[in-house]
Structure formats: structure tokens, C-alpha cells
Coordinates of all heavy atoms in Angstrom, one line a residue:
M1 N 111.7 111.9 99.1 CA 110.7 111.3 98.2 C 109.8 112.4 97.7 O 109.4 113.3 98.3 CB 109.8 110.3 98.9 CG 110.5 109.0 99.3 SD 109.4 107.7 99.8 CE 108.3 107.6 98.5
D2 N 109.4 112.2 96.3 CA 108.5 113.1 95.8 C 107.0 113.1 96.4 O 106.5 114.2 96.6 CB 108.5 112.8 94.2 CG 109.8 113.2 93.5 OD1 110.5 114.0 94.0 OD2 110.1 112.5 92.5
D3 N 106.5 111.9 96.5 CA 105.2 111.8 97.1 C 105.1 110.9 98.3 O 105.1 109.6 98.1 CB 104.3 111.3 96.0 CG 102.8 111.2 96.4 OD1 102.4 111.8 97.4 OD2 102.0 110.6 95.6
P4 N 105.3 111.4 99.5 CA 105.4 110.5 100.7 C 104.0 109.8 100.9 O 103.9 108.9 101.7 CB 105.7 111.5 101.9 CG 105.5 112.8 101.3 CD 105.4 112.8 99.8
G5 N 103.0 110.2 100.2 CA 101.7 109.6 100.4 C 101.7 108.2 100.0 O 101.0 107.2 100.5
I6 N 102.4 107.9 98.9 CA 102.5 106.5 98.4 C 103.2 105.6 99.5 O 102.8 104.5 99.7 CB 103.3 106.4 97.1 CG1 102.5 107.2 96.0 CG2 103.6 105.0 96.6 CD1 103.3 107.4 94.7
Y7 N 104.2 106.1 100.1 CA 105.0 105.4 101.2 C 104.0 105.2 102.3 O 104.0 104.1 102.8 CB 106.1 106.3 101.6 CG 107.0 105.7 102.8 CD1 107.9 104.6 102.5 CD2 106.7 106.1 104.1 CE1 108.6 104.1 103.6 CE2 107.4 105.6 105.1 CZ 108.4 104.5 104.8 OH 109.1 104.0 105.9
R8 N 103.2 106.2 102.7 CA 102.4 106.0 103.9 C 101.3 104.9 103.5 O 100.9 104.2 104.5 CB 101.7 107.3 104.2 CG 102.7 108.4 104.7 CD 102.0 109.6 105.2 NE 103.1 110.6 105.4 CZ 103.2 111.7 104.8 NH1 102.4 112.1 103.9 NH2 104.2 112.6 105.3
R9 N 100.8 105.0 102.3 CA 99.6 104.0 102.0 C 100.3 102.6 102.1 O 99.6 101.7 102.5 CB 99.1 104.4 100.7 CG 98.1 105.5 100.8 CD 97.3 105.7 99.5 NE 98.1 106.0 98.3 CZ 98.5 107.3 98.0 NH1 98.1 108.3 98.7 NH2 99.2 107.5 97.0
L10 N 101.3 102.4 101.5 CA 102.1 101.1 101.3 C 102.4 100.6 102.8 O 102.1 99.4 103.2 CB 103.3 101.1 100.5 CG 104.0 99.8 100.4 CD1 103.1 98.8 99.7 CD2 105.2 100.0 99.5
V11 N 102.9 101.5 103.7 CA 103.2 101.0 105.0 C 101.9 100.7 105.8 O 101.8 99.8 106.6 CB 104.0 102.1 105.7 CG1 104.2 101.7 107.3 CG2 105.4 102.2 105.2
G12 N 100.8 101.4 105.6 CA 99.5 101.1 106.0 C 99.0 99.8 105.7 O 98.4 99.1 106.6
K13 N 99.2 99.5 104.5 CA 98.9 98.1 104.0 C 99.7 97.0 104.6 O 99.2 95.9 105.1 CB 98.9 98.1 102.6 CG 97.7 99.0 101.9 CD 98.0 99.0 100.4 CE 96.9 100.0 99.8 NZ 96.8 100.1 98.5
F14 N 101.0 97.3 104.8 CA 101.8 96.4 105.5 C 101.5 96.2 107.0 O 101.4 95.1 107.5 CB 103.3 96.8 105.4 CG 103.9 96.6 104.1 CD1 105.1 97.3 103.8 CD2 103.5 95.7 103.1 CE1 105.7 97.2 102.7 CE2 104.2 95.7 101.9 CZ 105.3 96.2 101.8
N15 N 100.9 97.3 107.5 CA 100.6 97.2 109.0 C 99.3 96.2 109.0 O 99.2 95.4 110.0 CB 100.2 98.6 109.4 CG 100.2 98.7 111.0 OD1 100.7 97.7 111.6 ND2 99.8 99.8 111.4
Y16 N 98.4 96.4 108.2 CA 97.3 95.5 108.1 C 97.6 94.1 107.9 O 97.1 93.2 108.5 CB 96.3 96.0 107.0 CG 95.1 95.1 106.8 CD1 94.0 95.1 107.8 CD2 95.0 94.2 105.8 CE1 92.9 94.3 107.7 CE2 93.9 93.3 105.7 CZ 92.9 93.3 106.6 OH 91.7 92.6 106.5
L17 N 98.6 93.8 107.1 CA 99.1 92.4 106.7 C 99.9 91.8 107.9 O 99.9 90.6 108.0 CB 100.1 92.5 105.6 CG 99.5 92.5 104.2 CD1 100.4 92.6 103.1 CD2 98.5 91.2 103.9
T18 N 100.3 92.5 108.8 CA 100.9 92.0 110.0 C 99.9 91.1 110.9 O 100.4 90.2 111.5 CB 101.6 93.0 111.0 OG1 100.5 93.8 111.5 CG2 102.6 93.7 110.3
I19 N 98.7 91.3 110.6 CA 97.7 90.5 111.3 C 97.8 89.0 110.8 O 97.8 88.0 111.6 CB 96.3 91.0 111.2 CG1 96.2 92.3 111.8 CG2 95.3 90.0 111.8 CD1 94.9 93.1 111.4
T20 N 98.0 88.8 109.6 CA 98.0 87.5 108.9 C 99.4 87.0 108.7 O 99.6 85.9 108.4 CB 97.3 87.4 107.6 OG1 97.7 88.5 106.7 CG2 95.8 87.7 107.9
S21 N 100.4 87.9 108.8 CA 101.8 87.6 108.5 C 102.6 88.1 109.5 O 103.2 89.3 109.3 CB 102.3 88.2 107.1 OG 101.5 87.7 106.1
P22 N 102.6 87.7 110.7 CA 103.4 88.2 111.8 C 104.9 88.3 111.7 O 105.6 89.0 112.3 CB 103.0 87.4 113.0 CG 102.4 86.1 112.5 CD 102.0 86.4 111.1
N23 N 105.4 87.5 110.6 CA 106.9 87.4 110.3 C 107.4 88.7 109.8 O 108.6 88.9 109.7 CB 107.2 86.3 109.4 CG 106.3 86.2 108.2 OD1 105.2 86.8 108.1 ND2 106.6 85.5 107.2
I24 N 106.5 89.7 109.4 CA 106.9 91.0 108.8 C 106.7 92.1 109.8 O 107.0 93.2 109.5 CB 106.3 91.4 107.4 CG1 104.7 91.5 107.7 CG2 106.5 90.3 106.4 CD1 104.0 92.2 106.5
A25 N 106.2 91.7 111.1 CA 105.9 92.7 111.9 C 107.1 93.6 112.4 O 107.0 94.9 112.4 CB 105.3 92.2 113.2
F26 N 108.3 93.1 112.6 CA 109.3 94.0 113.0 C 109.8 94.9 111.8 O 110.1 96.0 112.1 CB 110.6 93.1 113.3 CG 111.8 93.8 113.7 CD1 111.8 94.5 115.0 CD2 112.8 94.0 112.9 CE1 113.0 95.2 115.3 CE2 114.0 94.8 113.1 CZ 114.1 95.4 114.4
A27 N 109.9 94.4 110.7 CA 110.1 95.2 109.5 C 109.3 96.4 109.3 O 109.6 97.6 109.1 CB 110.4 94.4 108.3
V28 N 107.9 96.1 109.5 CA 106.9 97.1 109.4 C 107.0 98.1 110.5 O 106.8 99.3 110.2 CB 105.4 96.4 109.4 CG1 104.3 97.5 109.4 CG2 105.3 95.6 108.1
S29 N 107.3 97.7 111.7 CA 107.5 98.7 112.8 C 108.7 99.6 112.5 O 108.6 100.7 112.9 CB 107.6 97.9 114.1 OG 108.8 97.2 114.2
V30 N 109.6 99.1 111.9 CA 110.7 99.9 111.7 C 110.4 100.9 110.5 O 110.7 102.2 110.7 CB 112.1 99.1 111.2 CG1 113.2 100.0 110.6 CG2 112.5 98.3 112.3
V31 N 109.9 100.5 109.4 CA 109.6 101.5 108.3 C 108.4 102.4 108.9 O 108.3 103.5 108.3 CB 109.2 100.8 107.0 CG1 110.3 100.1 106.5 CG2 108.0 99.8 107.2
S32 N 107.6 102.1 109.8 CA 106.5 102.9 110.3 C 107.1 104.1 111.0 O 106.4 105.1 111.1 CB 105.6 102.2 111.2 OG 105.0 101.1 110.5
Q33 N 108.3 104.1 111.5 CA 108.9 105.1 112.3 C 109.2 106.4 111.3 O 109.4 107.5 111.9 CB 110.1 104.7 112.9 CG 110.0 103.6 114.0 CD 111.2 103.1 114.5 OE1 112.3 103.7 114.3 NE2 111.1 102.0 115.3
F34 N 109.2 106.2 110.1 CA 109.6 107.2 109.2 C 108.4 107.8 108.3 O 108.6 108.2 107.2 CB 110.6 106.8 108.2 CG 111.9 106.2 109.1 CD1 112.1 104.9 109.2 CD2 112.8 107.1 109.7 CE1 113.1 104.4 110.0 CE2 113.8 106.7 110.4 CZ 114.0 105.3 110.5
L35 N 107.1 107.7 108.9 CA 106.0 108.1 108.0 C 105.9 109.6 107.8 O 105.5 110.0 106.7 CB 104.8 107.6 108.7 CG 104.6 106.2 108.8 CD1 103.2 105.9 109.6 CD2 104.3 105.7 107.3
L36 N 106.5 110.4 108.6 CA 106.4 111.9 108.5 C 107.4 112.3 107.4 O 107.1 113.3 106.7 CB 106.8 112.6 109.8 CG 105.7 112.5 110.9 CD1 106.1 113.2 112.2 CD2 104.4 113.1 110.4
A37 N 108.6 111.9 107.4 CA 109.5 112.3 106.4 C 110.3 111.1 105.8 O 111.6 110.9 106.2 CB 110.5 113.2 107.0
P38 N 109.7 110.3 105.0 CA 110.4 109.2 104.4 C 111.5 109.6 103.4 O 111.3 110.6 102.7 CB 109.3 108.4 103.6 CG 108.3 109.3 103.4 CD 108.3 110.4 104.4
K39 N 112.5 108.9 103.3 CA 113.6 109.2 102.3 C 113.7 107.9 101.3 O 112.9 106.9 101.5 CB 114.9 109.3 103.0 CG 114.9 110.5 104.0 CD 116.2 110.7 104.5 CE 116.0 112.0 105.4 NZ 117.3 112.2 106.2
T40 N 114.5 108.1 100.4 CA 114.6 107.0 99.4 C 115.0 105.7 100.1 O 114.5 104.5 99.6 CB 115.7 107.4 98.3 OG1 115.2 108.6 97.9 CG2 115.7 106.5 97.2
S41 N 115.9 105.7 101.1 CA 116.4 104.5 101.8 C 115.2 103.7 102.4 O 115.0 102.5 102.4 CB 117.5 104.8 102.7 OG 117.0 105.6 103.8
H42 N 114.2 104.6 102.9 CA 113.1 104.0 103.6 C 112.1 103.4 102.6 O 111.5 102.2 102.8 CB 112.2 105.0 104.4 CG 113.2 105.7 105.3 ND1 113.2 107.1 105.6 CD2 114.0 105.2 106.3 CE1 114.0 107.4 106.4 NE2 114.6 106.4 106.9
W43 N 112.1 104.0 101.4 CA 111.2 103.5 100.3 C 111.8 102.1 99.7 O 111.1 101.2 99.5 CB 111.1 104.5 99.1 CG 110.4 104.0 98.0 CD1 111.0 103.6 96.8 CD2 109.0 103.6 97.8 NE1 110.0 103.2 96.0 CE2 108.8 103.2 96.6 CE3 107.9 103.7 98.8 CZ2 107.6 102.7 96.1 CZ3 106.7 103.3 98.3 CH2 106.5 102.8 97.0
N44 N 113.1 102.0 99.7 CA 113.9 100.8 99.3 C 113.5 99.7 100.3 O 113.4 98.5 99.9 CB 115.3 101.0 99.1 CG 115.5 102.1 97.9 OD1 114.8 102.0 97.0 ND2 116.7 102.7 97.9
A45 N 113.5 100.1 101.5 CA 113.2 99.0 102.6 C 111.7 98.4 102.5 O 111.5 97.3 102.6 CB 113.3 99.7 104.0
T46 N 110.8 99.4 102.2 CA 109.5 98.8 101.9 C 109.4 98.1 100.7 O 108.6 97.1 100.7 CB 108.4 100.1 101.8 OG1 108.9 100.9 100.8 CG2 108.3 100.9 103.1
L47 N 110.1 98.4 99.7 CA 110.0 97.5 98.4 C 110.7 96.1 98.8 O 110.3 95.1 98.2 CB 110.9 98.2 97.3 CG 110.2 99.4 96.8 CD1 111.1 100.0 95.6 CD2 108.9 99.1 96.2
R48 N 111.6 96.2 99.6 CA 112.3 94.8 100.0 C 111.2 93.9 100.8 O 111.2 92.8 100.6 CB 113.5 95.1 101.0 CG 114.4 93.9 101.2 CD 115.6 94.3 101.9 NE 116.3 93.1 102.2 CZ 117.7 93.0 102.0 NH1 118.3 93.8 101.5 NH2 118.3 91.8 102.3
V49 N 110.4 94.6 101.7 CA 109.4 93.8 102.3 C 108.4 93.3 101.3 O 108.0 92.2 101.4 CB 108.8 94.7 103.4 CG1 107.5 94.1 104.0 CG2 109.8 95.1 104.5
L50 N 108.1 94.1 100.3 CA 107.2 93.7 99.3 C 107.7 92.6 98.6 O 106.9 91.5 98.2 CB 106.8 94.9 98.5 CG 105.7 94.8 97.4 CD1 104.4 94.6 98.2 CD2 105.6 96.0 96.4
R51 N 108.9 92.5 98.2 CA 109.6 91.5 97.4 C 109.5 90.2 98.3 O 109.3 89.1 97.8 CB 111.0 91.7 97.0 CG 111.2 92.7 95.7 CD 112.5 92.8 95.2 NE 113.4 93.3 96.2 CZ 113.8 94.5 96.2 NH1 113.3 95.4 95.5 NH2 114.7 95.0 97.2
Y52 N 109.8 90.3 99.7 CA 109.7 89.1 100.5 C 108.4 88.6 100.6 O 108.2 87.4 100.4 CB 110.2 89.6 102.0 CG 109.8 88.6 102.9 CD1 110.7 87.5 103.1 CD2 108.7 88.7 103.8 CE1 110.5 86.5 104.0 CE2 108.5 87.6 104.7 CZ 109.3 86.5 104.9 OH 109.1 85.6 105.7
L53 N 107.3 89.5 100.6 CA 106.0 88.9 100.6 C 105.6 88.3 99.3 O 104.9 87.2 99.3 CB 104.9 90.1 101.0 CG 104.9 90.6 102.3 CD1 104.1 91.9 102.5 CD2 104.3 89.6 103.2
K54 N 106.1 88.8 98.3 CA 105.9 88.1 96.9 C 106.5 86.7 96.9 O 105.9 85.8 96.4 CB 106.4 89.0 95.9 CG 106.1 88.5 94.5 CD 106.6 89.5 93.4 CE 106.3 88.8 92.0 NZ 106.9 89.9 91.0
K55 N 107.7 86.6 97.4 CA 108.4 85.2 97.3 C 107.8 84.3 98.5 O 107.7 83.1 98.3 CB 109.9 85.4 97.7 CG 110.6 86.1 96.5 CD 112.0 86.2 96.8 CE 112.8 86.9 95.6 NZ 114.2 87.0 95.9
A56 N 107.4 84.8 99.5 CA 106.9 84.0 100.7 C 105.4 83.8 100.6 O 104.9 83.4 101.6 CB 107.4 84.6 102.0
F57 N 104.7 84.1 99.5 CA 103.2 84.2 99.4 C 102.8 82.7 99.7 O 101.8 82.4 100.4 CB 102.8 84.6 98.0 CG 101.3 84.5 97.9 CD1 100.6 85.4 98.6 CD2 100.8 83.6 97.1 CE1 99.2 85.4 98.4 CE2 99.4 83.5 96.9 CZ 98.6 84.4 97.6
R58 N 103.4 81.6 99.2 CA 102.9 80.3 99.4 C 103.3 79.6 100.7 O 102.7 78.6 101.1 CB 103.3 79.4 98.2 CG 102.8 79.8 96.9 CD 101.8 79.0 96.4 NE 101.3 79.5 95.1 CZ 100.1 79.7 94.9 NH1 99.1 79.6 95.7 NH2 99.7 80.1 93.7
K59 N 104.3 80.2 101.3 CA 104.8 79.6 102.6 C 103.9 80.3 103.7 O 103.6 81.4 103.8 CB 106.3 80.0 102.8 CG 107.1 79.4 101.7 CD 108.6 79.8 101.9 CE 109.4 79.3 100.8 NZ 110.8 79.7 100.9
R60 N 103.7 79.4 104.7 CA 102.9 79.8 105.8 C 103.5 79.5 107.2 O 104.3 78.4 107.1 CB 101.5 79.2 105.8 CG 100.8 79.5 104.6 CD 100.1 80.8 104.7 NE 99.2 81.0 103.6 CZ 99.3 81.9 102.8 NH1 100.3 82.9 102.9 NH2 98.5 82.1 101.7
L61 N 103.3 80.1 108.3 CA 103.6 79.8 109.6 C 102.7 78.8 110.1 O 101.5 79.1 109.9 CB 103.7 81.1 110.5 CG 104.9 82.0 110.2 CD1 104.8 83.1 111.1 CD2 106.2 81.3 110.4
L62 N 103.1 77.7 110.8 CA 102.2 76.9 111.3 C 102.3 76.9 112.9 O 103.3 76.7 113.4 CB 102.7 75.4 110.9 CG 101.8 74.3 111.4 CD1 100.3 74.5 111.0 CD2 102.4 72.9 111.0
Y63 N 101.1 77.1 113.4 CA 101.0 77.3 114.9 C 100.3 76.0 115.4 O 99.3 75.6 114.8 CB 100.2 78.5 115.4 CG 101.0 79.8 115.0 CD1 100.5 80.5 113.9 CD2 102.0 80.1 115.8 CE1 101.3 81.7 113.6 CE2 102.7 81.3 115.5 CZ 102.3 82.1 114.4 OH 102.9 83.3 114.1
S64 N 100.9 75.3 116.4 CA 100.2 74.1 117.0 C 99.6 74.5 118.3 O 100.1 75.3 119.1 CB 101.2 73.1 117.2 OG 101.9 72.7 115.9
D65 N 98.4 73.9 118.5 CA 97.6 74.0 119.7 C 98.0 72.9 120.6 O 97.5 71.8 120.4 CB 96.2 74.1 119.4 CG 95.4 74.4 120.7 OD1 95.9 74.8 121.8 OD2 94.2 74.1 120.7
Y66 N 98.7 73.1 121.7 CA 99.0 72.0 122.7 C 98.1 72.1 124.0 O 98.1 71.4 124.8 CB 100.4 72.2 123.2 CG 101.4 71.9 122.1 CD1 102.3 72.9 121.6 CD2 101.6 70.6 121.6 CE1 103.2 72.7 120.6 CE2 102.5 70.3 120.6 CZ 103.4 71.3 120.1 OH 104.2 71.0 119.1
G67 N 97.3 73.1 123.9 CA 96.3 73.3 125.0 C 97.0 73.9 126.3 O 98.2 74.1 126.3
H68 N 96.2 74.2 127.2 CA 96.7 74.9 128.4 C 97.5 74.0 129.2 O 98.3 74.3 130.0 CB 95.5 75.5 129.2 CG 94.7 74.5 129.9 ND1 93.7 73.7 129.1 CD2 94.7 74.0 131.1 CE1 93.1 72.9 130.1 NE2 93.6 73.1 131.2
T69 N 97.4 72.7 129.2 CA 98.0 71.7 130.0 C 99.5 71.6 129.5 O 100.5 71.4 130.4 CB 97.5 70.3 129.8 OG1 97.5 69.8 128.5 CG2 96.0 70.3 130.4
R70 N 99.8 71.9 128.3 CA 101.3 72.0 127.9 C 102.0 73.0 128.5 O 103.1 72.9 128.9 CB 101.3 72.2 126.3 CG 102.6 72.2 125.7 CD 103.3 71.0 125.6 NE 104.6 71.2 124.9 CZ 105.7 70.5 125.2 NH1 105.7 69.5 126.0 NH2 106.7 70.7 124.5
V71 N 101.4 74.2 128.7 CA 102.0 75.3 129.4 C 102.3 75.0 130.9 O 103.3 75.3 131.4 CB 101.2 76.6 129.3 CG1 101.8 77.7 130.1 CG2 101.1 77.0 127.8
A72 N 101.3 74.2 131.4 CA 101.4 73.9 132.9 C 102.5 72.9 133.0 O 103.2 73.0 134.1 CB 100.1 73.2 133.3
E73 N 102.7 72.1 132.1 CA 103.9 71.1 132.2 C 105.1 71.7 132.0 O 106.1 71.4 132.7 CB 103.7 70.0 131.1 CG 102.6 69.1 131.1 CD 102.5 68.2 130.0 OE1 103.4 68.2 129.1 OE2 101.6 67.6 129.8
L74 N 105.2 72.9 131.3 CA 106.5 73.5 131.2 C 107.0 74.3 132.4 O 108.1 74.5 132.8 CB 106.5 74.6 130.0 CG 106.3 74.0 128.6 CD1 106.2 75.2 127.6 CD2 107.6 73.2 128.3
F75 N 105.9 74.8 133.2 CA 106.2 75.5 134.4 C 106.0 74.9 135.6 O 105.9 75.4 136.7 CB 105.4 76.8 134.5 CG 105.8 77.7 133.2 CD1 105.0 77.9 132.3 CD2 107.0 78.4 133.3 CE1 105.4 78.8 131.2 CE2 107.4 79.2 132.3 CZ 106.6 79.4 131.2
N76 N 105.8 73.5 135.6 CA 105.5 72.7 136.9 C 106.8 72.4 137.6 O 107.7 72.1 137.0 CB 104.9 71.4 136.4 CG 104.3 70.7 137.5 OD1 104.3 71.1 138.8 ND2 103.6 69.5 137.3
D77 N 106.7 72.7 138.9 CA 108.0 72.6 139.7 C 108.1 71.2 140.3 O 109.1 71.0 141.0 CB 108.1 73.6 140.8 CG 108.2 75.1 140.4 OD1 108.8 75.2 139.2 OD2 107.7 75.9 140.9
N78 N 107.1 70.4 140.1 CA 107.2 69.0 140.8 C 108.2 68.1 140.1 O 108.4 68.0 139.0 CB 105.7 68.4 140.8 CG 104.9 69.2 141.7 OD1 105.4 69.8 142.6 ND2 103.6 69.1 141.4

């Protein structure tokens, strides 16, 4: 890549987004491994994550709160 700083900034922003979008955490961890010497293929992977985020902007993950008793029911030996 001509300017690896652009790659590093974009991956850093993705890293911040993993807080609100945990579905991209694995992809971000993979592209984060190449911060020192990114290549064109790594840049293409970050663009793919960016396209995914653009398409999935309106979709959200839904987490339900079953409380601590639900976990106790799952591991109850009785």
C-alpha cells in the first residue's frame, strides 16, 4: 500500500465499532494483525467489512435478558 496510515486509521475505527457491533469483531481482529505491513489484499478485506456495515446499518442484534435464574436453570443438576 502507498499509505498504510489510511489502513491503520480505518482498522482503528472498526476496532471502536466492535463495541456496538460485535458481529464484526472477528473480521476486525483478523485485519488488525496486519497493521505494520498491510497489503492490497488486507485493504480489500477492510473495504469488505465497510460494505457489510453499510448494508447492515439498519439491522441490529437483539439480546434478551433472562436474568440470573435462567442461567441457574440451565446448569441445575436436580
Side-chain angles (χ1 to χ4, degrees):
M1 286 190 61
D2 295 333
D3 186 12
I6 296 172
Y7 178 81
R8 292 182 189 121
R9 284 191 295 274
L10 184 58
V11 171
K13 291 174 183 180
F14 285 162
N15 200 10
Y16 177 76
L17 279 175
T18 59
I19 297 168
T20 57
S21 300
N23 49 342
I24 64 167
F26 179 75
V28 172
S29 69
V30 171
V31 296
S32 295
Q33 296 175 12
F34 305 101
L35 289 176
L36 289 177
K39 297 183 179 175
T40 306
S41 59
H42 306 130
W43 176 249
N44 291 337
T46 57
L47 292 179
R48 189 172 177 136
V49 172
L50 192 61
R51 283 192 299 268
Y52 169 78
L53 286 172
K54 186 177 177 182
K55 289 181 182 179
F57 179 71
R58 299 255 183 234
K59 297 178 183 176
R60 301 280 186 239
L61 290 176
L62 179 62
Y63 294 102
S64 298
D65 181 19
Y66 294 111
H68 70 283
T69 58
R70 177 76 174 148
V71 175
E73 290 175 11
L74 292 174
F75 296 107
N76 194 356
D77 290 334
N78 294 334

